[in-house]
Amino acid sequence: MECYHQLETSLENPVIVNMAGKRIAVVTGANKGIGYGIMKELCTKFNGLVYLTSRDESRGLAAVKKLSELGLQAQYHQLDIDNIGSIKKFADYIKTKYDGFDVLVNNAAFAYSTDATEPLGEQAENTIRVNFTGTLNVCRELFPLLRPGARVVNVSSTAGHLLQINGSEPAASTLREKFASPTLTEDEIVSLVNQFVKDAKAGDWNAKGWPSSAYAVSKVAVSALTRVQQRAFDADLRKDVVVNSCHPGYVDTDMTAHKGPLTIEQGAVSPSYLALLPPDTDLRGAYIWYDKQVVDWVNGPTPSLY
């Protein structure tokens, strides 16, 4: 197993050997849960190097060691999607060492427990900052490094279906129309989620059309972002760059308080499938269920929960 990644993380001024041409996959938030399950899949099936990234370096390296004990080779680099400096450092590392990369799985996310006592305004601010803004920042820094034929997966949720915007009408319908607009932009999504945070803090979120779940709004925004990103890729000079979002299923993880009936391996099926899509796939900007079926994100209905 290659160990240079462990040495580099401990050096103040690491010497990075350029390895341009290597196929590279990156998974965020991959030291446990669904992210770790995705690592197991990609380390088995991806023809190249797979980077496990995590906010906590010690936990990330422990996960790499655990994979090694299973006979799987993984690389490691620290990456905190809630820290723009960490994101930029990782982007510089990938650019310097490999000149680009081929697969990005945006898996890292955060959720309050269902019995959380923090006011919705606080939950909204923190959840949007990590799940949407953090993911958006990762994309903005790393997308310029994607190679032709690259695959991006935005891990969403059943909570990320557009119909989860289900506050009072007609305000909710107006919000859904904005999120579903074929001309929606990144900046407009940012404006929408910022408005949600303001409304949540003001206490009138339901009257403004928003649900009472900050996690749902964050994941709807990620699903909407996916569609916007694919339109940009379609106009990009790099050919066949594809992004899709997915609901990985209700999985037995810390985030679900271990109430989900699916294993992390089952939760990894859909995101891994999207990460390994063949050339010239028809799946572009789509919303995929845990069993790999394409779901109508705008009109629904949503399939069964799992």
Side-chain angles (χ1 to χ4, degrees), residues 22-26 46 48-49 51 94 98 100-103 147:
K22 284 273 190 180
R23 281 177 52 78
I24 305 297
V26 174
F46 179 70
L49 302 178
Y51 269 83
I94 292 295
Y98 302 107
F101 72 118
D102 307 276
V103 171
R147 295 168 177 154

Side-chain angles (χ1 to χ4, degrees), residues 245-268:
S245 63
C246 65
H247 162 50
Y250 193 32
V251 181
D252 180 0
T253 65
D254 290 347
M255 188 176 289
T256 65
H258 299 282
K259 295 178 181 178
L262 303 183
T263 65
I264 61 170
E265 289 79 13
Q266 290 172 310

Side-chain angles (χ1 to χ4, degrees), residues 5 26-28 54 62 74 82 88 94 104 120 135 171 177 182 221 232 235 239 268 279 306:
H5 55 281
V26 174
V27 185
T28 69
S54 66
D82 194 28
K88 288 180 177 291
I94 292 295
L104 172 62
L120 185 63
T135 297
E177 289 174 3
K239 293 185 180 300
Y306 298 159

Side-chain angles (χ1 to χ4, degrees), residues 32 51 136 186 223-224 259 262 273 291-292 295:
K32 64 177 182 177
Y51 269 83
L136 178 61
E186 284 187 5
S223 301
K259 295 178 181 178
L262 303 183
Y273 164 70
D291 59 1
K292 299 188 283 191
V295 173

Side-chain angles (χ1 to χ4, degrees), residues 18 81 90 98 110 120 123 125 130 185 188 195 202 209 223 225 235 245 263 277:
N18 186 282
I81 72 165
F90 180 65
Y98 302 107
F110 164 81
L120 185 63
Q123 292 188 35
E125 184 172 43
V130 176
T185 65
E188 287 171 339
Q195 186 60 51
S223 301
L225 177 65
S245 63
T263 65
L277 285 172

Side-chain angles (χ1 to χ4, degrees), residues 157-165 220 287 295-300 302:
S157 166
T158 181
H161 192 285
L162 184 60
L163 294 182
Q164 294 295 328
I165 304 298
V220 167
Y287 177 69
V295 173
D296 185 344
W297 183 74
V298 174
N299 299 307
T302 58

